Each structure stands twice: as structure tokens, then as C-alpha cells.
Amino acid sequence: MLVIHCPYCGPRPELEFRHCGQAHIARPLDPSAQTADEWGEYLYLRENPKGMHAERWRHMHGCGRFFNALRDTTTDFFVTTYKCGEPRPAVSGTAPAGGQR
Amino acid sequence: MSEWFAKSAAQAALTDVPEGRRWVLRGGDAALAAAGAAFGASLPAQAGGVARVAGTPRAALWLGPDEIWLGTSMDDGAALEAALQTGLAAHAHSLVDISHRNVALELSGTHAAWLLNSLCPLELTLEAFPVDTVTRTLFSKAEIVLWRTGEHSFQIVLGRSFRGYVSGLLAEVSRELAAA
Ligand SMILES: [Zn+2]
């Protein structure tokens, strides 16, 4: 079983968590000024990278908080987790040593 | 209660905790400080922290960065509720009475942590989960609040309708104790 580090609670079993899609997607401030294509893109278009991906997760059966995580989609390796509102940490490449498992 | 297979109560025992009063309090730092003053002890700020008020049945449980459970006995409930409402009047907050939502079980004995770990993957060694640590977690498919009240005792707070499910699973796992 994966151990995921909640930024609030520390290392916890993966069963307590929910995946909540791609991170860092900002809702347009003025939706009515958007074209249909722009709005559709905001609503539906998501990246599907092979490698490092910034994702929202929620510690559903723990503290209940949403947070962000950098996960390598090829290895399912959680490189780091960080609180919502914090910038995406600069991490490149795939599955560096010393990450969180 | 389901049929229980532990060889003795010292090994493992499951009992109902008397009904009590519980509130979930959410608010910012100022609200939590004011609530602590009304409660009688500083509310826990550390993840998993528990604050008790000595000589009373009151206990405050940290469940999230802005979510604290406040609990006490039925007898003390009205007094605590009045004190909280007075103390919190000047602060934006949410104080919800959840007394009817949950029941609590007490699991004790030398094999208590072992029984829990049969269906809960949380690390329950004393180093990782010391006495007076609390957290929301999962026991099989049921969401529970797990509070270590002693080296060999845990309080399990769970949804009222999950009581039979959880106690039944614990009884099922206790067959291992009978077989060992
Ligand atoms: Zn958490």
C-alpha cells in the first residue's frame, strides 16, 4: 500500500485519500466574458502526462483537507505534497531518489 | 454485541461507551482560542492532539486544521453548550451538535491494536500513535474516529448505523485470538 504524506497529518495509508484531478486550474474570473471554446477548455480539457503530474488530492478520511501532490504517472511515485495556494515545486525528470513512497 | 472470541478481557474486550454530547467546532484562530477559554483548556493545535479538562469528562479532539470535536457527558452538556455559545458569540464560527450522529465503543486489552490493525492500515505502535492521539481513519469500509485513550485502550467513535458492522467485524477477527 502507498503511504501518502498529508501536509497536515503526515504519512498516512492511501485508502484515506481521494484523487481530485489536475491541480492549479484557476476558474476564469469573468465566466461570461469567455468564449464557448475557452469555457469548454476550462471545464473539460486536462493534461494526461506520462511522467510528473501536479494533482489535487483530498485527505478524505483524515483531516478532510485538499492539498496538491506531484506524482510520477509512470511509477505512481509521490515526489512531494504541498498545501493548496503554494506554488508547484520545481521538480523535473521522473522519480528522483529521496521522494516519498 | 456479536459473539466475542477473546480468551479474556485482559486480551481484548469491546464495550459501549455511555452516550455523551459532541459538537464539531470550525473556525479561525480567534474563534478556537475563545472556545478554548469557554471549554476550560487550550484546544489542541497539533495534528492528532487531544486536550482534556482535568477533573471533568470534557475532551477536545483535533480532527483537522480548523476542525475540533468537543465532547463531554450528558450531564455536563447543557453547561458546556451555554459556555461555548457565550464565549463564541463575538467570533465567526460553526458549532454543530452531532451528539445523535455517533456512538462510541471502547476496545481494550493487550491485543486491541492488533485487532484494529486487522482492518485498519494505520500504524498503531506507541511511537507512531501515542496515548491521547486521535484521528479520523477507516476500519474496513467504515469511517471511524480513533482515539488512543491508553496504551492498551482505544475509543472508536463511529456513525450510529455502523456500530453493528464494526463490532461484528471485530468479533470476527477475534476468532484468531481463540485459535491462537
Ligand atoms: Zn490530513
Side-chain angles (χ1 to χ4, degrees):
Chain A
M1 185 178 297
L2 284 177
V3 170
I4 300 174
H5 286 239
C6 170
Y8 300 96
C9 305
R12 304 287 293 247
E14 65 174 307
L15 293 181
E16 295 180 359
F17 295 86
R18 286 288 184 282
H19 178 269
C20 300
Q22 188 178 334
H24 303 298
I25 293 176
R27 189 175 196 273
L29 290 175
D30 186 3
S32 55
Q34 300 268 302
T35 65
D37 281 355
E38 285 168 341
W39 187 247
E41 192 164 314
Y42 156 69
L43 282 182
Y44 300 116
L45 290 191
R46 297 292 181 263
E47 289 173 23
N48 185 23
K50 181 179 180 183
M52 207 62 69
H53 195 209
E55 299 169 327
R56 300 175 82 213
W57 282 74
R58 186 181 178 204
H59 194 188
M60 177 96 184
H61 302 293
C63 63
R65 278 299 176 107
F66 285 89
F67 60 93
N68 293 332
L70 280 183
R71 184 176 65 93
D72 187 325
T73 58
T74 57
T75 58
D76 206 14
F77 193 94
F78 278 76
V79 177
T80 189
T81 56
Y82 51 104
K83 294 177 181 176
C84 286
E86 293 176 357
R88 174 177 173 156
V91 174
S92 58
T94 55
Q100 300 168 346
R101 187 75 225 211
Chain B
M1 183 125 345
S2 313
E3 195 177 352
W4 190 249
F5 293 91
K7 285 171 181 162
S8 68
Q11 194 181 33
L14 187 67
T15 53
D16 285 294
V17 174
E19 294 274 351
R21 295 287 302 276
R22 284 183 199 89
W23 293 265
V24 56
L25 171 67
R26 308 196 68 149
D29 291 342
L32 297 186
F39 185 70
S42 291
L43 301 186
Q46 295 290 321
V50 174
R52 302 195 203 218
V53 183
T56 77
R58 296 182 182 184
L61 314 178
W62 187 101
L63 288 184
D66 63 352
E67 181 184 1
I68 306 283
W69 275 20
L70 303 170
T72 193
S73 64
M74 285 300 213
D75 292 343
D76 184 40
L80 177 55
E81 187 167 37
L84 287 170
Q85 282 173 348
T86 305
L88 283 164
H91 301 278
H93 70 281
S94 155
L95 182 70
V96 179
D97 188 337
I98 54 167
S99 309
H100 295 271
R101 191 173 79 187
N102 299 114
V103 290
L105 298 168
E106 178 88 8
L107 179 65
S108 59
T110 52
H111 286 64
W114 180 87
L115 279 170
L116 284 166
N117 271 149
S118 62
L119 289 162
C120 169
L122 208 60
E123 186 174 344
L124 295 179
T125 58
L126 272 173
E127 294 72 35
F129 202 80
V131 175
D132 269 348
T133 302
V134 67
T135 183
R136 200 183 275 122
T137 187
L138 287 170
F139 181 79
S140 190
K141 298 292 183 188
E143 185 175 277
I144 62 169
V145 168
L146 185 65
W147 171 16
R148 183 173 222 144
T149 51
E151 182 180 353
H152 293 304
S153 61
F154 296 85
Q155 191 172 123
I156 303 165
V157 187
L158 69 172
R160 204 165 278 271
S161 59
F162 282 96
R163 188 196 165 287
Y165 173 77
V166 169
S167 65
L169 283 174
L170 283 168
E172 196 64 30
V173 177
S174 75
R175 286 171 179 270
E176 292 256 3
L177 295 178

